[in-house]
Amino acid sequence: MRILFFGDIFGRPGRKGIAAKVKALREELDLDLIIANGENASQGIGLSIKNAQQLLDYGIDLLTSGNHIWKFSNIYSFLKTSDRIVRPANLPEGTRGRGWTSFEVRGEVPVAVINLQGRVFMDPVECPFKCADKILQEIDPEIKVILVDFHAEATSEKQSLGRYLDGRVSAMLGTHTHVQTNDARIFENGTGYITDAGMCGPVESCLGLSPNPVIKRFVTGLPQKWKVAGGPIELQGVLLEIDEETGRTVSIETYNSGRMTV
Ligand SMILES: [Fe+2]
Ligand SMILES: [Fe+2]
């Protein structure tokens, strides 16, 4: 199974890039499944119901998310009703939406996708390690292809969860830091891994935002008005090939669309 996983889609420029490219990519790269982290797709912080539906219409099969998913309250009902979006699973019981989901690819191969959030340098959440254990017990053993979007800040926490899950999931893909890392690999028990898949958004930016207010914030310590950066964008992510029988990753490499004007 060939899967393309996009890192955080950032604001209108990121959405436009997805709109322009995704349907053609499905053919070009012979993809069976396209997943994207959508937590920053609306104004660079959050995801509105309108933009979530647009991204699915553009050809994304499933949206994952993270700490910013709660910004626009109109997404709450979508989180509750749609089976094409997940939010971090390790949130208090009763939180809206689902932390993992399963579905069939090409109408025949079952796949599960889990979303987890880190807790190092981030708001407190429940233990992502224990939460992953619990979910893996719930998932039907018939499902061999299992993907994890670990939305976390610290590289140590990401590598540790990746190794903790080695051999138990097909791949663990990091998101949240918006900077694609150069460590895509397959661990010894067959789990594909990358610390961060990157971002779909403006290249000349601070994590997607216009640099000047961000710099001013660091220099003065005072709150600033953020602005989504302009200029060229890149779509970044990872391309995976997974053995459908065993669930092991056969190959994993970074994906970069190259600079695009949208
Ligand atoms: Fe993000
Ligand atoms: Fe985030």
Side-chain angles (χ1 to χ4, degrees), residues 8 39-40 67-68 122 151 176:
D8 305 36
E39 73 144 11
N40 303 109
N67 55 313
H68 289 310
M122 295 184 83
H151 196 78
H176 177 70

Side-chain angles (χ1 to χ4, degrees), residues 10-113:
F10 201 92
R12 186 193 299 260
R15 298 197 312 269
K16 280 179 140 181
I18 292 288
K21 204 78 178 144
V22 163
K23 282 193 176 144
L25 274 178
R26 189 181 289 270
E27 302 297 315
E28 215 175 286
L29 300 174
D30 192 22
L31 300 170
D32 298 297
L33 178 63
I34 304 175
I35 302 173
N37 187 300
E39 73 144 11
N40 303 109
S42 303
Q43 299 167 31
I45 183 164
L47 178 63
S48 68
I49 185 167
K50 183 177 157 210
N51 292 155
Q53 279 161 338
Q54 282 172 337
L55 289 169
L56 296 172
D57 289 344
Y58 296 156
I60 303 289
D61 295 307
L62 180 82
L63 290 162
T64 59
S65 64
N67 55 313
H68 289 310
I69 190 62
W70 310 106
K71 171 84 175 170
F72 297 99
S73 56
N74 62 24
I75 198 72
Y76 294 6
S77 61
F78 194 67
L79 283 170
K80 212 170 157 187
T81 55
S82 173
D83 56 1
R84 296 179 68 190
I85 185 166
V86 285
R87 47 82 178 155
N90 49 331
L91 297 175
E93 219 176 296
T95 302
R96 283 161 209 251
R98 58 201 86 195
W100 68 277
T101 189
S102 61
F103 50 91
E104 283 181 349
V105 169
R106 301 191 308 266
E108 54 177 8
V109 187
V111 173
V113 178

